[in-house]
Amino acid sequence: MVIKNVTIAGGGVLGSQIAFQTAYCGFDVTIWLRSEGSIERAQPKLDRLKEIYLSTMEAMKTNPQAYCRGFTDKTELSDEEINQLKEKVENAYENIKLTTSYQDAAEDADLIIEAIAEDPQQKIAFYQELSKYMPEKTILVTNSSTLLPSAFAEYTGREEKYLALHFANEIWRNNTAEVMGQPKTKQEYYDEIVSFAQDINMVPLKLKKEQPGYILNSMLVPFLSAAEALYANEVADPETIDKTWMLATGAPNGPFRILDVVGLTTAYNIVIMNPEAKDPTTTPGKIAAKLKEKIDAGKTGINAGEGFYKYD
């Protein structure tokens, strides 16, 4: 099978990144969104990604350290070659299509990447409606951060062609793609997704079995949760927690800066899956309340211009 037409369902932090990177690598890309309001919220993310790609590429002309692995595997580039990459960015930006129509999103899709909220009921409803429009050829993958594909396979109408493809944030720089099947995934479709990941300049990381959180989030979520607990229990403020981590380990970012990149809505959706979060006296309950306060104020992270930190 040759994958050419790719639909990304969801225009959030990662959905917009996946769409832009896929279009940059020459695929025909459509983003499916729930409403016109969702389209209005997604477009600024694409505008921002265009500027990030172009400004980073321009910086590469004088600063080799600006190089990002998702742009190209060639590390030494002439100014002319960098300008050619910038043309690819412009083409990607101009050609991404946005729609609220299930039919338009699915009818000619070779691959659909689901990147909607970490809410099991929303995912089930999406898959059930989508299954009415997908052609037989379509491979369906989820970018869920923590949920297992086996929990949703029966709702997709194509269990053998359904698996997980999980990306890290800032995928143009942190170009990993974790590929994880579920018991009914056929090997040929697993292999297709590995090849697709390579075609969009990702490094495919092949999981041998299902694991909540995959490889990356199995390590990252406990780290972020520990930081959130320190904050929620008033042990220290986010700036001090970040400073502690950065000074003690040499890491470039602390957990709350990472949470701003991940997006506070995603972090909130993860913590409320813990039944203890319903009790406001528990640590998960306190974390959920702190995050909800930020979200209600519109401070959802870097894409909103403010989360735990302010961004220009």
Side-chain angles (χ1 to χ4, degrees):
M1 177 183 176
V2 176
I3 294 175
K4 180 60 178 174
N5 300 317
V6 181
T7 291
I8 288 80
V13 174
L14 266 173
S16 58
Q17 291 181 28
I18 298 164
F20 203 93
Q21 179 69 21
T22 302
Y24 168 75
C25 291
F27 291 83
D28 293 330
V29 172
T30 298
I31 303 177
W32 175 88
L33 297 149
R34 291 188 182 280
S35 65
E36 291 299 324
S38 297
I39 289 178
E40 292 175 5
R41 290 188 291 273
Q43 188 59 55
K45 295 184 180 73
L46 299 175
D47 298 343
R48 177 175 173 271
L49 288 167
K50 174 187 174 184
E51 178 56 34
I52 289 172
Y53 277 56
L54 291 177
S55 61
T56 305
M57 289 173 179
E58 186 63 28
M60 285 165 54
K61 293 180 179 179
T62 56
N63 178 16
Q65 298 301 314
Y67 166 77
C68 293
R69 299 188 303 265
F71 293 160
T72 175
D73 59 5
K74 188 175 181 180
T75 56
E76 295 185 8
L77 297 159
S78 66
D79 286 1
E80 181 180 352
E81 288 172 318
I82 291 174
N83 287 336
Q84 290 172 354
L85 296 182
K86 293 173 76 173
E87 288 180 12
K88 290 175 59 178
V89 173
E90 296 285 359
N91 289 335
Y93 180 78
E94 293 297 329
N95 291 314
I96 293 173
K97 299 181 286 291
L98 290 82
T99 184
T100 59
S101 166
Y102 280 93
Q103 182 171 349
D104 291 347
E107 63 182 355
D108 198 30
D110 300 309
L111 170 64
I112 296 177
I113 302 172
E114 173 267 302
I116 66 175
E118 289 288 88
D119 179 338
Q121 294 308 310
Q122 284 191 45
K123 290 185 187 294
I124 290 170
F126 171 76
Y127 291 143
Q128 289 177 325
E129 185 64 22
L130 184 70
S131 66
K132 301 174 185 177
Y133 302 95
M134 279 189 296
E136 178 62 29
K137 68 176 182 176
T138 307
I139 301 173
L140 177 62
V141 303
T142 179
N143 179 59
S144 173
S145 298
T146 56
L147 303 172
L148 295 177
S150 59
F152 304 101
E154 66 180 292
Y155 304 105
T156 65
R158 58 193 60 229
E159 293 174 295
E160 76 284 357
K161 296 178 182 175
Y162 176 65
L163 61 156
L165 178 64
H166 181 254
F167 297 86
N169 267 296
E170 298 190 349
I171 67 173
W172 61 93
R173 188 187 314 276
N174 306 319
N175 64 329
T176 61
E178 296 176 274
V179 185
M180 183 172 76
Q182 41 88 18
K184 295 188 178 179
T185 304
K186 285 190 176 179
Q187 187 65 41
E188 62 186 286
Y189 302 115
Y190 183 100
D191 294 341
E192 286 278 358
I193 296 305
V194 169
S195 295
F196 169 75
Q198 294 171 323
D199 289 341
I200 60 169
N201 296 345
M202 299 293 109
V203 177
L205 304 172
K206 296 185 278 188
L207 279 73
K208 298 179 179 180
K209 60 187 291 186
E210 281 191 305
Q211 163 66 27
Y214 310 76
I215 301 170
L216 176 60
N217 282 334
S218 290
M219 297 183 285
L220 180 61
V221 170
F223 167 62
L224 298 180
S225 295
E228 290 171 324
L230 290 170
Y231 168 52
N233 288 316
E234 301 181 348
V235 175
D237 58 55
E239 293 82 0
T240 302
I241 296 167
D242 277 4
K243 184 188 296 184
T244 301
W245 183 257
M246 293 162 67
L247 290 176
T249 68
N253 293 306
F256 289 94
R257 187 77 69 173
I258 295 171
L259 280 164
D260 277 353
V261 174
V262 170
L264 272 60
T265 301
T266 296
Y268 176 76
N269 286 334
I270 290 172
V271 74
I272 62 172
M273 286 191 287
N274 184 338
E276 291 186 18
K278 295 178 181 179
D279 182 350
T281 67
T282 66
T283 294
K286 293 176 183 178
I287 292 171
K290 292 277 193 182
L291 292 173
K292 187 68 162 52
E293 182 180 351
K294 291 275 189 184
I295 293 167
D296 288 347
K299 301 174 182 180
T300 57
I302 192 169
N303 279 305
E306 185 172 356
F308 289 100
Y309 297 90
K310 290 185 178 181
Y311 303 89
D312 296 329

